[in-house]
Amino acid sequence: MNIQEVKDDLLKAIPNLQIEIEGNSFIIPKEKLLSIARFFKESPKYSMDYLSCITAADYLAKGFFESVNHLYSMQKKQGPIVLKVRVPRENPRMPSLVSLYRGAEFQEREAYDLFGIIYEGHPDLRRILLWDEFEGHPMRKDYVTEDQDS
Amino acid sequence: MTLQTNSSLQTELLEVSIGPQHPSTHGVFRLNAVLDGETVVKLKPVMGYLHRNHEQLAENMPYLASMPYTDRLDYLCSMTNNFAYALAVEKLAGIDVPERAQYLRVLMAELTRLVNHSLLVGFLLNDLGAWFTPVFYAFREREKILDFFEAVAGSRMMCNYFRFGGVKADLPEGALEQVKKIVQNYPRFLDEFERLLAGNEILRSRCQNTGILPKDLAVNASITGPMLRASGVNYDIRKADAYSIYDRFDFKIPLGMVGDVYDRYYVRVLEMRESVKILEQVLKQIPGKGDILSAKGLQAGRAPRMWKPPAGDAYGRIESPKGELGFYLVSDGSPKPYRYHVRPPSFVNLTILEDMCLGQKIADAVIILGSVDIVLGEVDR
């Protein structure tokens, strides 16, 4: 799939969209995440029915978290389409994909646990790997561990 | 009280915590179940007992230094963990892999699949109450493969065998004969296993129509691996992506019809037969001599603390025995990965554990969990 073509299709389907291409992925505004994901899932040309991987990355120097979503199609055996959403570090809130893809449930909980990104609309947003009383989010780049030697 | 019962007896729901060290939870894993009599009405998995923040460890060391740590993710399948990580880094840095190394990689990956599926079937029977007899048969066969791994990689389970752009060592003398013998004898073991199990009355009545996972839900919940295919979805990354050299081999993808525990068991048995087929082709096609590490790979391994892949990100994924194992890497051009993420198959496959168990008996919840095939080193990371 040519990424420029994919972008054109996307712009045709959802007007007034501000998206950028970076490498082989799309940087999209968080308000549009659900409608863009729905387009890729439901359009017969793409039918991206499989959400493979959700994760996040902390870009401390640039002041944002990036949520990275890899979509594939099991039906058409194609992909990936990579959707990246950037949210400010001070207020990391973004919509949850669980309503579209059940597979997001545990992976979003993990990103919440380790990065502290709040997925709005998630049915059960709790810590998953760390215990409930744990303070802080250890995958953030400014997290200081207790026994750090440097 | 709104509880509707036929009898005049008042019943209450019972909350049971199974684990985290119960043998049927396959490691330190806990199930919080709410029961009505014996029927499961709610079930929440609790995990993280083995959490060591593998991702953060990897972000604080050079790329190559993480390779032995990936062995400890799914500690039964260290070879395929290595494979996925090597693939992701090769994608990130544009490293090619020589011919003979490709064959060695596939050889190791398919042997690992045999190990994993044999053990899974054995342990599933454990959960069913066939206490350790089938597992011993599985362990006997596994031992032969682990002997081969030891001869090649120097370690039975923590192989640390893959390198960026190839593999660590070529086969020692006589190792190929060793594999040939394993591959020749494996179908006999599978026949024996099947005679023992597939027609077994208890296995059938316990597993058939237990824990059905519908096709649509399986796709929607990102289920991968044998579990997905047991529900009848034809999706195998070895075919869909044809990574490495999987497009050169002729093999089928076994599919289930119902998506119950029995299908998940049987799909794995059939997958082992396909793996044997792939191994036979590997043994025929593998070039007799050749490099096992490409020039770029050699460069990456020579001074691992100094080696820097170009800035960018990459997602490499393979069909591990448990499902899609993916590594997402972000490089900022320094010798350490800026972001390192593992997409573990058994963690994601647990998402719909509750859905499969609702309305089933608590004893069946145990075999449903067994049929998911989890390894806690990978779930918790």
Coordinates of all heavy atoms in Angstrom, one line a residue, chain B residues 7-78:
Chain B
S7 N -35.5 -23.6 43.5 CA -35.7 -24.1 44.8 C -36.0 -23.0 45.8 O -35.8 -21.8 45.5 CB -34.5 -24.9 45.3 OG -33.5 -24.0 45.7
S8 N -36.5 -23.3 47.0 CA -36.7 -22.3 48.0 C -35.5 -21.9 48.7 O -35.5 -21.0 49.6 CB -37.8 -22.8 48.9 OG -37.4 -24.0 49.5
L9 N -34.4 -22.6 48.4 CA -33.1 -22.3 49.1 C -32.5 -21.0 48.6 O -32.5 -20.7 47.4 CB -32.1 -23.4 48.9 CG -32.4 -24.8 49.5 CD1 -31.4 -25.8 49.0 CD2 -32.3 -24.7 51.0
Q10 N -32.1 -20.2 49.6 CA -31.4 -19.0 49.2 C -29.9 -19.3 48.9 O -29.3 -20.0 49.8 CB -31.5 -18.0 50.4 CG -32.9 -17.5 50.6 CD -33.3 -16.4 49.7 OE1 -32.5 -15.5 49.5 NE2 -34.5 -16.4 49.2
T11 N -29.4 -18.9 47.8 CA -28.0 -19.2 47.5 C -27.3 -17.8 47.4 O -27.8 -16.8 47.0 CB -27.8 -20.0 46.2 OG1 -28.4 -19.2 45.2 CG2 -28.4 -21.3 46.3
E12 N -26.0 -17.9 47.7 CA -25.2 -16.7 47.6 C -24.0 -16.9 46.6 O -23.6 -18.0 46.4 CB -24.6 -16.3 49.0 CG -25.5 -15.5 49.8 CD -24.9 -15.2 51.1 OE1 -23.7 -15.4 51.3 OE2 -25.7 -14.7 52.0
L13 N -23.6 -15.8 46.0 CA -22.4 -15.9 45.2 C -21.2 -16.1 46.0 O -21.1 -15.6 47.1 CB -22.3 -14.7 44.3 CG -23.5 -14.4 43.4 CD1 -23.2 -13.2 42.6 CD2 -23.7 -15.6 42.4
L14 N -20.2 -16.8 45.5 CA -19.0 -17.1 46.2 C -17.8 -16.6 45.4 O -17.7 -16.8 44.2 CB -18.9 -18.6 46.4 CG -17.6 -19.1 47.2 CD1 -17.7 -18.8 48.6 CD2 -17.5 -20.6 47.0
E15 N -16.9 -15.8 46.1 CA -15.8 -15.3 45.5 C -14.6 -16.2 45.8 O -14.3 -16.5 46.9 CB -15.5 -13.9 45.9 CG -14.8 -13.1 44.9 CD -14.5 -11.6 45.4 OE1 -15.5 -11.0 45.8 OE2 -13.4 -11.2 45.3
V16 N -13.9 -16.7 44.7 CA -12.8 -17.6 44.9 C -11.6 -17.0 44.2 O -11.6 -16.5 43.1 CB -13.0 -19.0 44.3 CG1 -11.9 -19.9 44.6 CG2 -14.3 -19.5 44.7
S17 N -10.4 -17.0 44.9 CA -9.2 -16.6 44.3 C -8.3 -17.8 44.0 O -8.0 -18.5 44.9 CB -8.5 -15.6 45.3 OG -7.2 -15.4 44.8
I18 N -8.1 -18.1 42.7 CA -7.2 -19.2 42.4 C -5.8 -18.7 42.1 O -5.7 -17.9 41.2 CB -7.8 -19.9 41.1 CG1 -9.3 -20.2 41.4 CG2 -7.0 -21.2 40.8 CD1 -10.0 -20.7 40.1
G19 N -4.9 -19.3 42.7 CA -3.5 -18.8 42.5 C -3.1 -17.8 43.5 O -3.7 -17.7 44.5
P20 N -1.9 -17.2 43.4 CA -1.1 -17.2 42.2 C -0.1 -18.3 42.1 O 0.7 -18.3 41.2 CB -0.3 -15.8 42.4 CG -0.3 -15.5 43.8 CD -1.5 -16.2 44.4
Q21 N -0.1 -19.3 43.0 CA 0.8 -20.4 42.8 C 0.1 -21.7 42.6 O 0.6 -22.8 42.9 CB 1.8 -20.6 44.0 CG 2.2 -19.4 44.8 CD 1.1 -19.0 45.8 OE1 0.0 -19.5 45.8 NE2 1.5 -18.1 46.7
H22 N -1.1 -21.7 42.1 CA -1.8 -22.9 41.8 C -1.2 -23.6 40.6 O -0.9 -22.9 39.6 CB -3.3 -22.6 41.6 CG -4.1 -23.9 41.6 ND1 -4.3 -24.6 40.5 CD2 -4.8 -24.5 42.6 CE1 -5.1 -25.6 40.8 NE2 -5.3 -25.6 42.1
P23 N -0.9 -24.9 40.6 CA -0.3 -25.5 39.4 C -1.1 -25.4 38.1 O -0.5 -25.3 37.1 CB -0.2 -27.0 39.8 CG -1.0 -27.2 41.1 CD -1.1 -25.8 41.7
S24 N -2.4 -25.3 38.2 CA -3.2 -25.1 37.0 C -3.1 -23.7 36.4 O -3.7 -23.5 35.4 CB -4.6 -25.5 37.2 OG -4.7 -26.9 37.5
T25 N -2.5 -22.8 37.1 CA -2.5 -21.4 36.5 C -1.2 -21.3 35.7 O -0.9 -20.2 35.3 CB -2.6 -20.4 37.6 OG1 -1.6 -20.6 38.6 CG2 -3.9 -20.4 38.3
H26 N -0.4 -22.3 35.6 CA 0.8 -22.3 34.7 C 1.8 -21.2 35.1 O 2.4 -20.6 34.2 CB 0.3 -22.1 33.2 CG -0.5 -23.3 32.7 ND1 0.0 -24.2 31.9 CD2 -1.8 -23.6 33.0 CE1 -1.0 -25.1 31.6 NE2 -2.1 -24.7 32.3
G27 N 2.0 -21.0 36.3 CA 2.9 -20.0 36.8 C 2.3 -19.1 37.8 O 1.2 -19.4 38.4
V28 N 2.9 -18.0 38.1 CA 2.3 -17.1 39.1 C 1.2 -16.2 38.5 O 1.5 -15.1 38.1 CB 3.4 -16.2 39.8 CG1 4.0 -17.0 40.9 CG2 4.4 -15.8 38.8
F29 N 0.1 -16.7 38.4 CA -1.0 -16.0 37.7 C -2.3 -16.3 38.6 O -2.4 -17.3 39.2 CB -1.3 -16.7 36.3 CG -2.4 -16.1 35.6 CD1 -2.3 -14.9 35.0 CD2 -3.6 -16.9 35.3 CE1 -3.3 -14.3 34.3 CE2 -4.6 -16.3 34.6 CZ -4.5 -15.1 34.0
R30 N -3.1 -15.2 38.8 CA -4.2 -15.4 39.7 C -5.5 -15.2 38.9 O -5.6 -14.3 38.0 CB -4.1 -14.4 40.8 CG -5.1 -14.6 42.0 CD -4.5 -14.1 43.2 NE -4.4 -12.7 43.3 CZ -5.4 -11.9 43.8 NH1 -6.4 -12.4 44.3 NH2 -5.2 -10.6 43.7
L31 N -6.5 -16.0 39.3 CA -7.9 -15.8 38.7 C -8.8 -15.4 39.9 O -8.9 -16.2 40.9 CB -8.4 -17.1 38.1 CG -7.7 -17.6 36.9 CD1 -8.1 -19.1 36.6 CD2 -8.1 -16.8 35.7
N32 N -9.4 -14.3 39.8 CA -10.5 -13.9 40.7 C -11.8 -14.3 40.2 O -12.3 -13.6 39.2 CB -10.4 -12.4 41.0 CG -9.6 -12.1 42.3 OD1 -9.2 -13.0 43.0 ND2 -9.4 -10.9 42.5
A33 N -12.4 -15.3 40.7 CA -13.7 -15.8 40.1 C -14.8 -15.6 41.1 O -14.7 -15.7 42.3 CB -13.5 -17.3 39.8
V34 N -16.0 -15.2 40.5 CA -17.2 -15.2 41.3 C -18.1 -16.3 40.8 O -18.3 -16.5 39.6 CB -17.9 -13.9 41.1 CG1 -19.2 -13.9 41.9 CG2 -17.0 -12.7 41.6
L35 N -18.5 -17.2 41.7 CA -19.2 -18.4 41.4 C -20.6 -18.4 41.9 O -20.9 -18.0 43.0 CB -18.4 -19.6 41.9 CG -17.0 -19.8 41.6 CD1 -16.4 -21.0 42.3 CD2 -16.8 -19.9 40.1
D36 N -21.5 -19.0 41.1 CA -22.8 -19.3 41.5 C -22.9 -20.8 41.5 O -23.1 -21.4 40.5 CB -23.8 -18.6 40.6 CG -25.3 -18.9 41.0 OD1 -25.5 -19.5 42.1 OD2 -26.2 -18.6 40.2
G37 N -22.8 -21.4 42.7 CA -22.6 -22.8 42.7 C -21.3 -23.2 42.1 O -20.3 -22.7 42.7
E38 N -21.3 -23.9 41.0 CA -20.0 -24.2 40.3 C -19.9 -23.3 39.1 O -18.9 -23.4 38.4 CB -20.0 -25.7 39.9 CG -19.5 -26.6 41.0 CD -19.2 -27.9 40.4 OE1 -18.1 -28.1 39.8 OE2 -20.0 -28.8 40.6
T39 N -20.9 -22.5 38.8 CA -20.8 -21.8 37.5 C -20.1 -20.4 37.7 O -20.4 -19.7 38.6 CB -22.3 -21.6 37.0 OG1 -23.0 -22.8 37.1 CG2 -22.3 -21.1 35.6
V40 N -19.3 -20.1 36.7 CA -18.6 -18.9 36.7 C -19.5 -17.7 36.3 O -20.1 -17.8 35.2 CB -17.3 -18.9 35.8 CG1 -16.6 -17.6 35.8 CG2 -16.4 -20.1 36.2
V41 N -19.6 -16.7 37.1 CA -20.4 -15.6 36.7 C -19.5 -14.3 36.5 O -20.0 -13.4 35.8 CB -21.6 -15.2 37.7 CG1 -22.6 -16.3 37.6 CG2 -21.0 -15.0 39.0
K42 N -18.3 -14.4 37.0 CA -17.4 -13.3 36.8 C -16.0 -13.8 36.9 O -15.8 -14.7 37.8 CB -17.7 -12.2 37.8 CG -17.3 -10.8 37.4 CD -17.8 -9.8 38.4 CE -17.1 -8.4 38.2 NZ -17.4 -7.5 39.3
L43 N -15.1 -13.3 36.2 CA -13.7 -13.8 36.3 C -12.7 -12.8 35.9 O -12.8 -12.3 34.7 CB -13.6 -15.1 35.4 CG -12.2 -15.8 35.5 CD1 -12.5 -17.3 35.8 CD2 -11.4 -15.7 34.3
K44 N -11.9 -12.4 36.8 CA -10.9 -11.3 36.4 C -9.5 -11.9 36.6 O -9.1 -12.3 37.7 CB -11.1 -10.1 37.4 CG -12.4 -9.4 37.2 CD -12.4 -8.5 35.9 CE -13.7 -7.9 35.7 NZ -14.0 -7.7 34.2
P45 N -8.7 -11.9 35.6 CA -7.3 -12.3 35.7 C -6.5 -11.2 36.4 O -6.7 -10.0 36.1 CB -6.9 -12.6 34.3 CG -7.8 -11.8 33.4 CD -9.0 -11.6 34.2
V46 N -5.6 -11.7 37.3 CA -4.7 -10.7 37.9 C -3.2 -11.2 37.6 O -2.9 -12.3 37.7 CB -4.8 -10.8 39.5 CG1 -3.9 -9.8 40.1 CG2 -6.3 -10.5 39.8
M47 N -2.5 -10.3 37.0 CA -1.1 -10.6 36.6 C -0.1 -9.6 37.0 O -0.5 -8.6 37.7 CB -1.1 -10.8 35.1 CG -1.6 -9.6 34.3 SD -1.9 -10.0 32.6 CE -3.7 -10.3 32.6
G48 N 1.1 -9.8 36.7 CA 2.2 -8.9 37.1 C 3.1 -9.3 38.2 O 4.0 -8.6 38.6
Y49 N 2.9 -10.6 38.6 CA 3.8 -11.1 39.7 C 5.2 -11.2 39.2 O 6.1 -11.2 40.0 CB 3.3 -12.4 40.2 CG 1.9 -12.3 40.9 CD1 0.7 -12.5 40.2 CD2 1.8 -11.9 42.2 CE1 -0.5 -12.4 40.8 CE2 0.6 -11.8 42.9 CZ -0.5 -12.0 42.2 OH -1.8 -11.9 42.8
L50 N 5.4 -11.4 37.9 CA 6.8 -11.6 37.4 C 7.2 -10.3 36.7 O 8.2 -10.4 36.0 CB 6.8 -12.8 36.4 CG 7.1 -14.1 36.9 CD1 7.1 -15.1 35.8 CD2 8.4 -14.2 37.6
H51 N 6.5 -9.2 36.9 CA 6.9 -8.0 36.2 C 8.2 -7.5 36.6 O 8.5 -7.3 37.8 CB 5.8 -7.0 36.4 CG 6.1 -5.7 35.6 ND1 6.2 -5.7 34.3 CD2 6.2 -4.4 36.1 CE1 6.4 -4.4 33.9 NE2 6.5 -3.7 35.0
R52 N 9.1 -7.2 35.6 CA 10.4 -6.7 36.0 C 10.8 -5.5 35.1 O 11.9 -5.1 34.9 CB 11.5 -7.8 35.8 CG 11.5 -8.4 34.4 CD 11.6 -10.0 34.5 NE 11.7 -10.6 33.2 CZ 10.6 -11.2 32.6 NH1 9.5 -11.3 33.2 NH2 10.8 -11.8 31.4
N53 N 9.8 -5.0 34.4 CA 9.9 -3.9 33.4 C 11.0 -4.2 32.5 O 12.0 -3.4 32.3 CB 10.1 -2.6 34.1 CG 9.4 -1.5 33.3 OD1 9.1 -1.7 32.2 ND2 9.2 -0.3 34.0
H54 N 10.9 -5.3 31.8 CA 11.8 -5.7 30.7 C 12.1 -4.6 29.7 O 13.2 -4.4 29.2 CB 11.1 -6.9 30.0 CG 11.8 -7.4 28.8 ND1 12.9 -8.2 28.9 CD2 11.6 -7.2 27.5 CE1 13.3 -8.5 27.6 NE2 12.5 -7.9 26.8
E55 N 11.0 -3.8 29.4 CA 11.2 -2.8 28.4 C 12.1 -1.7 28.9 O 13.0 -1.2 28.1 CB 9.8 -2.2 28.1 CG 8.9 -3.2 27.4 CD 7.5 -2.7 27.1 OE1 7.3 -1.5 27.3 OE2 6.7 -3.5 26.6
Q56 N 12.0 -1.3 30.1 CA 12.9 -0.3 30.6 C 14.4 -0.8 30.7 O 15.3 -0.1 30.4 CB 12.5 0.2 32.0 CG 13.1 1.5 32.4 CD 12.7 2.0 33.7 OE1 12.8 1.2 34.7 NE2 12.2 3.2 33.9
L57 N 14.5 -2.1 31.1 CA 15.9 -2.7 31.1 C 16.5 -2.5 29.7 O 17.6 -2.2 29.6 CB 15.8 -4.1 31.5 CG 15.5 -4.5 33.0 CD1 15.2 -6.0 33.1 CD2 16.6 -4.0 33.9
A58 N 15.7 -2.9 28.7 CA 16.2 -2.9 27.4 C 16.6 -1.5 26.9 O 17.5 -1.3 26.1 CB 15.2 -3.5 26.4
E59 N 15.8 -0.5 27.4 CA 16.1 0.9 27.0 C 17.4 1.4 27.6 O 17.8 2.5 27.2 CB 14.9 1.8 27.3 CG 13.7 1.5 26.3 CD 12.5 2.3 26.7 OE1 12.5 3.2 27.5 OE2 11.4 1.9 26.2
N60 N 17.9 0.7 28.6 CA 19.1 1.2 29.2 C 20.3 0.4 28.9 O 21.3 0.4 29.6 CB 18.9 1.2 30.7 CG 18.0 2.3 31.2 OD1 18.3 3.5 30.8 ND2 16.9 2.0 31.8
M61 N 20.3 -0.4 27.8 CA 21.4 -1.1 27.4 C 21.5 -1.2 25.8 O 20.5 -0.9 25.2 CB 21.4 -2.5 27.9 CG 20.2 -3.3 27.6 SD 20.3 -5.0 28.2 CE 19.7 -4.8 29.8
P62 N 22.7 -1.5 25.3 CA 22.8 -1.5 23.9 C 21.9 -2.6 23.2 O 21.4 -3.5 23.9 CB 24.3 -1.9 23.6 CG 25.0 -1.7 24.9 CD 24.0 -1.7 26.0
Y63 N 21.7 -2.4 21.9 CA 20.7 -3.3 21.3 C 21.0 -4.8 21.5 O 20.2 -5.5 21.8 CB 20.7 -3.0 19.8 CG 19.9 -1.7 19.5 CD1 20.5 -0.5 19.5 CD2 18.6 -1.7 19.1 CE1 19.9 0.7 19.3 CE2 17.9 -0.6 18.8 CZ 18.5 0.6 18.9 OH 17.8 1.8 18.7
L64 N 22.3 -5.1 21.2 CA 22.6 -6.6 21.3 C 22.5 -7.1 22.7 O 22.2 -8.3 22.8 CB 24.0 -6.8 20.7 CG 24.4 -8.2 20.4 CD1 23.4 -8.8 19.4 CD2 25.8 -8.3 19.9
A65 N 22.7 -6.3 23.7 CA 22.6 -6.8 25.1 C 21.2 -7.3 25.5 O 21.1 -8.0 26.4 CB 23.1 -5.7 26.0
S66 N 20.2 -6.8 24.7 CA 18.9 -7.3 25.1 C 18.6 -8.7 24.6 O 17.6 -9.3 25.0 CB 17.8 -6.4 24.5 OG 18.0 -5.1 25.0
M67 N 19.4 -9.2 23.7 CA 19.1 -10.5 23.0 C 19.0 -11.6 24.1 O 18.0 -12.3 24.1 CB 20.2 -10.8 22.0 CG 19.9 -12.0 21.2 SD 18.4 -11.9 20.2 CE 19.0 -11.1 18.7
P68 N 19.9 -11.8 25.0 CA 19.7 -12.8 26.0 C 18.5 -12.6 26.9 O 17.9 -13.5 27.4 CB 21.0 -12.8 26.8 CG 21.7 -11.6 26.4 CD 21.3 -11.2 25.1
Y69 N 18.1 -11.3 27.1 CA 16.9 -11.0 27.9 C 15.7 -11.5 27.2 O 14.7 -11.8 27.9 CB 16.8 -9.5 28.3 CG 17.7 -9.2 29.4 CD1 19.0 -8.7 29.2 CD2 17.2 -9.3 30.7 CE1 19.8 -8.4 30.3 CE2 18.0 -9.0 31.8 CZ 19.3 -8.5 31.6 OH 20.1 -8.2 32.6
T70 N 15.6 -11.4 25.9 CA 14.4 -11.9 25.2 C 14.2 -13.4 25.4 O 13.1 -13.8 25.4 CB 14.5 -11.6 23.7 OG1 15.6 -12.3 23.1 CG2 14.7 -10.1 23.4
D71 N 15.3 -14.1 25.7 CA 15.1 -15.6 26.0 C 14.2 -15.8 27.2 O 13.4 -16.7 27.2 CB 16.5 -16.2 26.4 CG 17.4 -16.3 25.3 OD1 17.0 -16.2 24.1 OD2 18.6 -16.4 25.6
R72 N 14.2 -14.8 28.1 CA 13.4 -15.0 29.3 C 12.0 -14.5 29.2 O 11.3 -14.5 30.2 CB 14.2 -14.2 30.4 CG 15.3 -15.0 31.1 CD 16.6 -14.4 30.7 NE 17.7 -15.2 31.3 CZ 18.8 -15.6 30.6 NH1 18.8 -15.3 29.3 NH2 19.7 -16.3 31.1
L73 N 11.6 -14.1 28.1 CA 10.2 -13.7 27.9 C 9.3 -14.9 27.9 O 8.7 -15.2 28.9 CB 10.0 -12.9 26.6 CG 10.5 -11.5 26.5 CD1 10.5 -11.0 25.1 CD2 9.6 -10.6 27.4
D74 N 9.3 -15.7 26.8 CA 8.6 -16.9 26.8 C 9.7 -18.0 26.9 O 10.3 -18.4 25.9 CB 7.8 -17.0 25.5 CG 7.2 -18.4 25.3 OD1 7.5 -19.3 26.2 OD2 6.5 -18.6 24.4
Y75 N 10.0 -18.4 28.2 CA 11.2 -19.2 28.4 C 11.1 -20.6 27.8 O 12.1 -21.3 27.9 CB 11.5 -19.2 29.9 CG 10.3 -19.4 30.8 CD1 9.7 -20.6 30.9 CD2 9.9 -18.3 31.5 CE1 8.6 -20.7 31.8 CE2 8.8 -18.4 32.3 CZ 8.1 -19.6 32.5 OH 7.1 -19.8 33.3
L76 N 10.0 -21.0 27.2 CA 10.0 -22.3 26.5 C 10.4 -22.1 25.1 O 10.7 -23.1 24.4 CB 8.5 -22.9 26.6 CG 8.0 -23.2 28.0 CD1 6.6 -23.7 27.9 CD2 8.9 -24.2 28.6
C77 N 10.3 -20.9 24.6 CA 10.5 -20.7 23.2 C 11.6 -19.6 23.0 O 11.3 -18.6 22.3 CB 9.3 -20.2 22.4 SG 7.9 -21.3 22.8
S78 N 12.8 -19.7 23.5 CA 13.7 -18.6 23.4 C 14.1 -18.4 22.0 O 14.4 -17.2 21.6 CB 15.0 -19.0 24.3 OG 15.6 -20.1 23.8

